[in-house]
Amino acid sequence: MADIEQNLREIARAKGLKLSDIAARMGTTVSNLLTSVKGNPTVSKIQGIAGALGVGVSDLLTLRPESAQGLVVIDGKTWQIARPSNAVVQIPTYNRFDVLRGDVRFFIARAVEETKGSCLMGLVETMELFCLLHDPCNEMFHLSLCYGEGQTKTYPYDKMEYCSWKDDVAVWDVQQVTEEIIGDLEGAVPAMLRQE
C-alpha cells in the first residue's frame, strides 16, 4: 500500500501534531502505532489512524496523488493507492493513449497465440473502465467499457471478420483486429487522452 507511515508523519507535521498525540487519541503507544502501519495494515487500522488525524482514508493512503498507481475499494468507496499489495487486484490507470496502444498491441499479439482465455483491464484517467477479453473457445475478442456514470458498452470482434486464410485455415489478422480495437477504445474515451 502507500507509505502510510510517511503520510502519517507528514499529515501530523502539517497539523502541528506529534506522533504521541495521534497515539494518545487512539489509546496506544507511538511504537504500536508505527508497528501497525508496517506491511499490510488492516482497513480498520487505517480508518482509525485517519480518524485520529482528522483526515479521510484517501488522504492517508495518497498524500501525493501523482504517485498513485492503483485502486482499492473500501466500504463501497474507491481509493487510489501508491503501491498495491499482492492481495489487491491491480488495475492500471492510463492517462495517455500511446501507452495504452502499446499494452493493447502486446496483449492481442500474445493472446492469439494462447489456448486459454486472457484479459487486459485498465482505467483511463477520467474513470472509464475497460476490459479487453480474449475468448479462444469462441475465437473472439470482447471490449467492454464502463463509463463513470455507470453506462456500459461492449464490442465483439469475431475471428471470421478479422482473419486471413492460410492452407484453408482461418488465422487472426492481428494488425487488423488490433487497429479496430484501438480505434473503438480511443473513440469511446475523452479527447484529452489523445494529446501525446
Side-chain angles (χ1 to χ4, degrees):
M1 293 196 105
D3 189 350
I4 296 173
E5 180 180 348
Q6 182 178 349
N7 291 356
L8 165 64
R9 290 177 185 275
E10 289 182 22
I11 293 170
R13 189 177 311 118
K15 290 182 167 269
L17 298 169
K18 297 179 183 172
L19 291 181
S20 57
D21 299 326
I22 305 303
R25 290 179 181 179
M26 296 180 66
T28 189
T29 65
V30 172
S31 176
N32 286 341
L33 173 64
L34 294 176
T35 300
S36 72
V37 297
K38 303 251 189 254
N40 192 10
T42 65
V43 171
S44 61
K45 184 56 70 177
I46 293 170
Q47 290 172 328
I49 294 169
L53 284 167
V55 298
V57 171
S58 61
D59 296 321
L60 188 59
L61 291 176
T62 59
L63 184 60
R64 292 161 301 281
E66 68 277 0
S67 68
Q69 297 175 352
L71 299 174
V72 64
V73 177
I74 301 173
D75 294 332
K77 295 180 182 174
T78 304
W79 310 99
Q80 286 190 312
I81 54 179
R83 285 177 289 224
S85 71
N86 291 333
V88 175
V89 175
Q90 297 181 38
I91 301 176
T93 300
Y94 294 93
N95 57 13
R96 291 178 55 125
F97 268 124
D98 52 347
V99 176
L100 178 57
R101 285 184 202 117
D103 285 359
V104 168
R105 284 188 177 100
F106 178 78
F107 170 77
I108 292 172
R110 190 184 71 222
V112 298
E113 300 296 323
E114 296 180 353
T115 56
K116 61 181 179 147
S118 53
C119 176
L120 172 68
M121 293 181 73
L123 186 70
V124 295
E125 184 178 41
T126 51
M127 300 305 285
E128 282 83 13
L129 177 69
F130 74 89
C131 175
L132 178 57
L133 172 72
H134 176 237
D135 176 2
C137 295
N138 294 311
E139 297 183 302
M140 294 184 77
F141 282 96
H142 298 275
L143 173 63
S144 296
L145 301 160
C146 181
Y147 297 91
E149 66 273 4
Q151 295 179 347
T152 60
K153 189 168 188 176
T154 300
Y155 301 87
Y157 307 89
D158 190 301
K159 182 177 182 179
M160 288 302 160
E161 293 180 39
Y162 302 94
C163 71
S164 57
W165 292 90
K166 292 185 180 175
D167 299 323
D168 294 329
V169 176
V171 179
W172 276 106
D173 184 330
V174 175
Q175 181 176 352
Q176 184 185 12
V177 73
T178 300
E179 294 309 313
E180 186 74 21
I181 290 171
I182 288 173
D184 288 341
L185 188 53
E186 289 184 3
V189 294
M192 65 177 277
L193 294 179
R194 296 186 191 135
Q195 300 171 2
E196 297 177 19

